[in-house]
Amino acid sequence: MSDDAVDVEKVGTPEKAGETREGKSIQMIVLADTAVAAGDVSGAPPNYHIDTMGGISLLVDEDRAGDALGLAIYNSRRHNIDRIAVSIMLQRYEGMDYGDDQLSALSQLIAGAMARHGLGDDALVRLLPGAKGKLRVTPSLPPAPGVVAEGGLLGAVPMSPEQALWLFLYGETYKPRGGALKINQAMPLHAAKFKLGAPVGPNDATTTVAVEGHTYSVQTFATDLIFYEGTQYAAIQSMNAQFDDAAAEIPAKGTARTLLEASYKIAISTTEKRTGALTHTKVLRPDWRFHLVAKNGHLGPALSDNYIFKADQDYAFQIFGADTLYTPMSDQAGCERLNLTDPAFPGANALWGETYRFMGVPFDANSPWHKKAVECRIGVPLTATYTLANGATTYAVQVWTLDTLYAGPDGQIKRMSDLPMVTEAQNWAPAAPKPIPPTPPNPLPPVIPPTNAGAPRPNDINWPPRPDFDFLKDKGGSREKALGHIEYVRTTGDNIRITNEFANNIIVVNVPQIAKVPGGPKDGNVRFHRVAADPFKRLWAAWEAAGLLHLVLGFSGTFVPRTIRNNPRVLSNHAYGTAFDINVPWNGLLKIAAFVGQKGSVRELVPLANAHGFYWGGHWNYDGKGASDGMHFEWAVPR
């Protein structure tokens, strides 16, 4: 059967070629690559062959089985795949990419075949080797055709010289880890428009993700993974947008979790093609602060494994799409960003040197290219500096994950991001996608009014229950409405400097009970937000009156201008002066808070805190298994 919707040339006698399907129905469309022309595959013909120029040849009618695929594992059993598939061979020479006309022809051919046989996106597959080397039917969406707009394929609009230079440099940005740039495709346009940085993995036959009955083609970039479903090539979506920013957690399951895991797998696999197998932890760990910070801070997937680096001291160290994260081994709960580290920090050059070494780039701390990159905070180097010609002009270029540096004949180092991008990228807007299943939040204790919390229950992760109010969130502006607006600049690490008049809201509050606690100021004076100062004083008095003050074994402060430890894009309530930490050693960040009756437990203190309008950090669940911030209390509602 030929496809009347597209121009198909019959080769030989397709109605007699191949074999009978033996009564089996067509269940899939299998794509494969071949270096040979249509006339040279007659010995083992597929149903269709598409040459490099987009010419479609029908070798075997669709109501007959081709002879190109053979046996593979499907639904846990070996099958003759030709009997149940429409096979399409794409002519592709080694080292070459698919042509635009070829991809356009493929898109039309697939659409017709899917309609004729009632197939969905999950029927689009390739035969790829599994873990043991045996061929398996593997979901694999077809390579995307160019995005069509009024006036033809994108990329045809006249460009200014500056736009032409941008396009030239964007092509260089793609080369290290993304392959050849096709500016007329949706993913590169989307990544450029929304400034996602360099690709850190390809978009090819290996980058299809199937989850909850949906099949997505994905590509990882320095700050995000983007994807489209099935053959909705222009309906690009963002992985980052699938997460609830207010929760700041890594979901235990769901579409967003699967995509996040895929981003790590793809980026690490791309790294290992250069380095060989990495030997330390290289998978997503939702209970690790590095991985929470990377996810919440939009720092992209891991490019390296997590290992100990020895310099002026031992550091935990891991490179991500947009930055290198590290912490001294003496502070394993810490997390510092190398791009935000003061260059005068004693270990800074060593940490940069290790980043360069792992990325396969020579390091020179005195290089003007390195100094420019550090000044501009543009991530991680993907290449050394190299020269190449663009027309009659020779440029020096260095690709970083968040920008590409270049210098022309004048030697001045400039940023690609300062050039105007091509008009098609500026005007790009993704098509409306199909709805995808929402990612469920991690499980939390039940909500019960503080007065009904009941007696403390030892060894119960769900006691105390959550209060009948939530913490203040930025979404909807509830936090700013209650506490005021903070303007700030980042200094180093998580720390910020407040630049507006917000600090006038912070007052000195005398809390006599705090003077009795180890680590508390001897005079009992602490700084707190004026709105929450009275509830704060009343809470400590209530703890003392209830005979609970002895449970507070340490006090670790209140007002600290900084971002959230797990989310560098969001201000901490410590910056607002409405939060305080106690009993830190027994209730560490990303740990399950000490249980009732255990040393350092604060659970017995929580019902009274809730009754005074304070939310407990132990009621967050960052990893789906109870990892929280049990040291932390923050004011949320008047009580």
Side-chain angles (χ1 to χ4, degrees):
M1 179 184 296
S2 64
D3 191 334
D4 296 331
V6 294
D7 186 11
V8 176
E9 179 183 357
K10 291 185 178 182
V11 176
T13 53
E15 66 277 7
K16 297 180 180 179
E19 304 287 342
T20 175
R21 291 194 181 274
E22 298 182 350
K24 292 182 170 60
S25 62
I26 292 173
Q27 300 177 41
M28 64 188 74
I29 298 172
V30 180
L31 306 182
D33 293 339
T34 180
V36 302
D40 297 326
V41 296
S42 56
N47 293 102
Y48 293 97
H49 178 283
I50 305 179
D51 65 28
T52 58
M53 302 301 292
I56 303 175
S57 298
L58 175 65
L59 303 172
V60 180
D61 265 353
E62 286 183 15
D63 57 5
R64 294 181 62 79
D67 193 25
L69 303 176
L71 299 175
I73 297 173
Y74 174 56
N75 288 340
S76 302
R77 296 179 58 189
R78 295 187 76 192
H79 291 265
N80 183 329
I81 302 302
D82 286 296
R83 297 283 190 269
I84 56 175
V86 172
S87 50
I88 303 175
M89 288 283 188
L90 294 166
Q91 187 178 20
R92 184 185 190 188
Y93 300 117
E94 185 175 356
M96 301 292 288
D97 208 345
Y98 303 109
D100 290 338
D101 292 338
Q102 188 178 33
L103 295 182
S104 179
L106 174 65
S107 176
Q108 296 177 65
L109 181 60
I110 285 176
M114 291 174 70
R116 284 192 295 277
H117 302 291
L119 301 176
D121 295 332
D122 57 349
L124 299 170
V125 302
R126 285 182 183 256
L127 305 186
L128 300 175
K132 296 182 179 180
K134 295 181 179 180
L135 289 179
R136 290 181 173 273
V137 172
T138 306
S140 182
L141 295 176
V147 182
V148 178
E150 291 184 14
L153 286 177
L154 293 175
V157 177
M159 292 180 284
S160 69
E162 292 79 13
Q163 288 176 312
L165 178 56
W166 177 89
L167 183 58
F168 165 72
L169 294 169
Y170 195 36
E172 294 304 302
T173 301
Y174 251 73
K175 285 180 181 178
R177 290 181 173 240
L181 170 67
K182 285 185 170 289
I183 193 58
N184 63 344
Q185 290 185 347
M187 281 190 168
L189 288 168
H190 191 93
K193 172 66 176 286
F194 294 101
K195 298 178 172 58
L196 303 184
V200 293
N203 174 239
D204 59 21
T206 67
T207 58
T208 295
V209 175
V211 55
E212 298 189 48
H214 298 254
T215 306
Y216 305 108
S217 181
V218 308
Q219 187 165 19
T220 53
F221 288 82
T223 61
D224 200 357
L225 174 146
I226 57 177
F227 62 97
Y228 60 82
E229 182 173 359
T231 54
Q232 289 187 294
Y233 305 112
I236 303 295
Q237 300 189 68
S238 157
M239 176 190 72
N240 288 341
Q242 309 308 312
F243 294 109
D244 178 2
D245 273 350
E249 65 189 20
I250 292 179
K253 58 183 179 180
T255 300
R257 169 61 180 261
T258 302
L259 292 171
L260 185 59
E261 289 177 336
S263 74
Y264 274 60
K265 181 179 179 181
I266 292 166
I268 288 291
S269 174
T270 305
T271 292
E272 289 183 324
K273 290 176 181 177
R274 178 182 62 82
T275 64
L278 302 178
T279 57
H280 299 92
T281 301
K282 55 189 178 183
V283 296
L284 175 69
R285 286 290 302 267
D287 57 335
W288 282 11
R289 188 173 169 202
F290 279 14
H291 293 188
L292 270 168
V293 168
K295 173 257 179 184
N296 293 328
H298 296 178
L299 303 183
L303 306 186
S304 78
D305 48 356
N306 184 292
Y307 58 94
I308 296 174
F309 168 60
K310 297 180 180 293
D312 59 309
Q313 56 183 311
D314 289 354
Y315 295 96
F317 181 94
Q318 191 164 20
I319 301 170
F320 291 82
D323 211 343
T324 293
L325 300 183
Y326 70 93
T327 188
M329 291 301 292
S330 58
D331 180 20
Q332 294 188 40
C335 180
E336 301 292 340
R337 290 183 56 182
L338 185 54
N339 273 254
L340 301 181
T341 297
D342 188 336
F345 172 67
N349 277 346
L351 290 161
W352 273 115
E354 178 62 11
T355 300
Y356 273 72
R357 183 204 66 78
F358 185 91
M359 299 303 293
V361 179
F363 176 60
D364 177 1
N366 296 315
S367 162
W369 293 82
H370 173 69
K371 291 181 177 180
K372 179 72 171 180
V374 171
E375 173 194 341
C376 297
R377 296 176 173 175
I378 56 174
V380 175
L382 290 177
T383 71
T385 304
Y386 59 97
T387 59
L388 75 167
N390 179 32
T393 305
T394 298
Y395 290 93
V397 175
Q398 186 178 25
V399 180
W400 286 67
T401 53
L402 298 183
D403 210 346
T404 292
L405 301 178
Y406 71 99
D410 62 1
Q412 184 178 353
I413 301 172
K414 302 176 183 178
R415 300 176 63 176
M416 178 185 76
S417 60
D418 290 334
L419 292 167
M421 63 182 69
V422 294
T423 303
E424 296 84 1
Q426 294 180 38
N427 295 339
W428 165 256
K434 297 177 184 176
I436 67 173
T439 297
N442 288 340
L444 296 172
V447 172
I448 296 177
T451 53
N452 298 335
R457 298 196 295 269
N459 301 316
D460 186 348
I461 198 171
N462 288 321
W463 198 92
R466 282 184 297 149
D468 53 353
F469 59 85
D470 206 350
F471 58 94
L472 286 173
K473 300 178 181 179
D474 288 333
K475 189 174 183 179
S478 62
R479 185 161 67 164
E480 282 200 354
K481 289 175 184 175
L483 304 175
H485 172 67
I486 294 179
E487 295 178 6
Y488 68 95
V489 294
R490 190 177 293 278
T491 54
T492 59
D494 296 324
N495 301 313
I496 64 167
R497 177 169 55 83
I498 296 174
T499 59
N500 65 345
E501 302 300 316
F502 175 84
N504 293 335
N505 291 302
I506 306 301
I507 62 174
V508 175
V509 183
N510 183 261
V511 183
Q513 294 81 11
I514 291 179
K516 305 173 185 179
V517 175
K522 298 303 181 183
D523 59 4
N525 287 338
V526 296
R527 292 190 292 172
F528 221 68
H529 195 291
R530 64 175 68 251
V531 168
D534 181 63
F536 182 61
K537 292 181 65 173
R538 288 190 287 108
L539 169 60
W540 283 85
W543 278 344
E544 184 175 42
L548 298 175
L549 196 60
H550 69 283
L551 296 176
V552 185
L553 305 182
F555 182 81
S556 297
T558 54
F559 172 66
V560 181
R562 62 171 175 83
T563 51
I564 292 177
R565 299 292 192 202
N566 288 337
N567 191 346
R569 297 185 304 113
V570 178
L571 288 172
S572 167
N573 276 293
H574 286 282
Y576 283 92
T578 58
F580 64 96
D581 295 334
I582 58 175
N583 293 14
V584 172
W586 305 276
N587 300 277
L589 181 63
L590 298 181
K591 305 294 183 183
I592 295 176
F595 288 114
V596 168
Q598 293 180 342
K599 183 177 181 179
S601 171
V602 301
R603 292 176 185 267
E604 299 92 323
L605 302 170
V606 173
L608 271 176
N610 293 159
H612 286 78
F614 284 81
Y615 196 89
W616 179 45
H619 280 146
W620 293 316
N621 185 355
Y622 292 121
D623 67 345
K625 299 178 181 179
S628 64
D629 192 7
M631 70 182 84
H632 181 87
F633 291 82
E634 61 183 50
W635 181 82
V637 295
R639 286 287 167 96

